[in-house]
Amino acid sequence: MQVGGWFYSFCEASSSWEGFSGRARHGQMQVSDPSSSKLDVELSQSALLEVLSQALLEEIFNRLENASAIASASCVCRSFKEAGRRVRSARLICLNKYHEDARAGSGLHDAKAEASTSNAVAAQGAPEGQQQQAMSIGDDEGSSSGDEYSFLVFRDVVVDFVREKPHLQQLRIEIESRLQSKTVPVPERRRTDFWLSDPFHLMRWVPSVQATLQHLCIVDYGQQAIMRRTSILKILSQNCKVLKTLDLRNMFIDSSEVEDMPRMTSFTLRCVKVIGDTLQHINARMRNLTTLALLGVFGVTHGNLDFPSMKVLCLGLSTIAKDVSIDIPSLVKLQLKIMCPEKLTINAASLKFMAFNLEVKDAAKVEMKNLHNLQEVLYGASSFATLWSLVATNQMLSKLFLDIPCMALGEDGKWLGVLKNIPLALPTFKNLLLCQKLAVLNIGPGLWHAMEVNLEELSTVQNWPPFNRLIIHMIPQNLDACLAILQLLLKPTLNSLEMYIHINSPVSYEAIVSQVTDIVSYFGQGLVFRPQLWKKSLNFSCFSF
């Protein structure tokens, strides 16, 4: 047997247990019974060591997580095999290579006679030459759609691996990002061989972990999964009664027959299509949720959310709903990144941290009730009317981020230009004077651009809140304008200036940093200047989100 990547994972996972196992070998491990001063049964040192060795081995296997490493390590000996069978956490990844081989169809039928399904799992961590031998294709499971094209063994790998692990508590099954992102021909969407949320496929493995599974994440193959509905919530709610956290991605989910899931505390949907009543179904069947994250969700038409114990809500709806109501007195964190509903009502008396990223249409009705305890607000919109209503009732704000979403970035982070038809009107900065406790002001790249464009208007602002930390994300267009704005913002109360300059900015990083360093030097050592480059994402580490 060749030493592969699993061996290094095994050694790394076992290293943190070296000291513990060493103490066990020297007989320093004590076993006590709180109800008795003496042990009823004394284990011999060899018997104790055997028990501890197996327990340590199982713990090491749990730290491997990757299914390929677990499968490979399980082949070493009988005790390793037993430890592999008892793992509580595993991750199975479908590689792009498997998809390419399935479509090419070359040499895979011969491989089926040479390798078992368990070897296919091990192949994920084996050298490329061995991967081919460990994979097979077939139509044994009979796709629910009657697909006539042979499919890769990955779905069989999932079934056989999970069925042999009766103690699984945490499971992640995913299609790798390279396969997700590559362009495929239109006929690909008619296939089902990589559809992980296929109800028929789910029923082959879900019942085998129904008594133990507590945490589940499935990242489906969007090219196939988004074209057909899955009843995954129905299947999980009927079988997995101890499920606590669920993360589903790249699917078309039918929630109409979901049953009660009282153990669920965290539910995430990312890049999924749903039916119109999904929010209602979640609210009715998962009453004990403390965290709900809907990110890039299409299809919701309405919903009334009134969870009794929810602390965190992220609502990212990519289609316009008619009526959304949030009535959650216990809510602490709220993130809204949605197409503005026709009617939006928020009642959250305990809310402290809020991210507001939506354009409120003229015909839309947005109503906020009992929001008086906000400490941090991240606000991104071209209209600031909603912001000022929040400021008026939350004058104890300590951290504030402001931006206008007018800067276009590519998937690789490259700056593509300024979006057209986005108003660049400045907010009424004098309203910030209501926030006398404001300590951190974070300015986004869109707002900074608007400040450059409207420099003359900005220069009329005489007073600013006494914030001591200024964070700026910029894609500077005009060096002189940038320097003029900074001279308006830099005040004696300031002790930290963090400036993030985009890597593709028209004004170079070196040019602006050199000039700003000279300006900051006049404030002495009390003002620390930290310039950095940025490309894809902004730095929100100072916020509680």
Side-chain angles (χ1 to χ4, degrees), residues 333-337 351-358 368 374-381 384 386-387 390-391 397-404 438 440-444 471 473 538-545:
K333 296 182 180 180
L334 173 62
Q335 180 177 344
L336 296 173
K337 188 174 182 180
L351 194 64
K352 294 182 179 180
F353 315 106
M354 183 177 186
F356 187 93
N357 187 352
L358 70 156
M368 300 189 184
L374 289 176
Q375 299 175 8
E376 302 177 11
V377 171
L378 289 83
Y379 191 93
F384 292 90
T386 303
L387 172 66
L390 290 173
V391 168
L397 276 177
S398 61
K399 299 179 181 180
L400 180 63
F401 169 80
L402 298 176
D403 195 19
I404 298 174
L438 189 65
V440 178
L441 178 61
N442 192 328
I443 297 175
I471 304 171
H473 294 83
L538 309 185
N539 184 358
F540 295 118
S541 59
C542 69
F543 291 92
S544 300
F545 282 89

Side-chain angles (χ1 to χ4, degrees), residues 45-58:
Q45 186 175 13
S46 60
L48 178 60
L49 181 59
E50 183 179 351
V51 171
L52 290 176
S53 298
Q54 189 63 31
L56 290 174
L57 192 59
E58 291 176 10

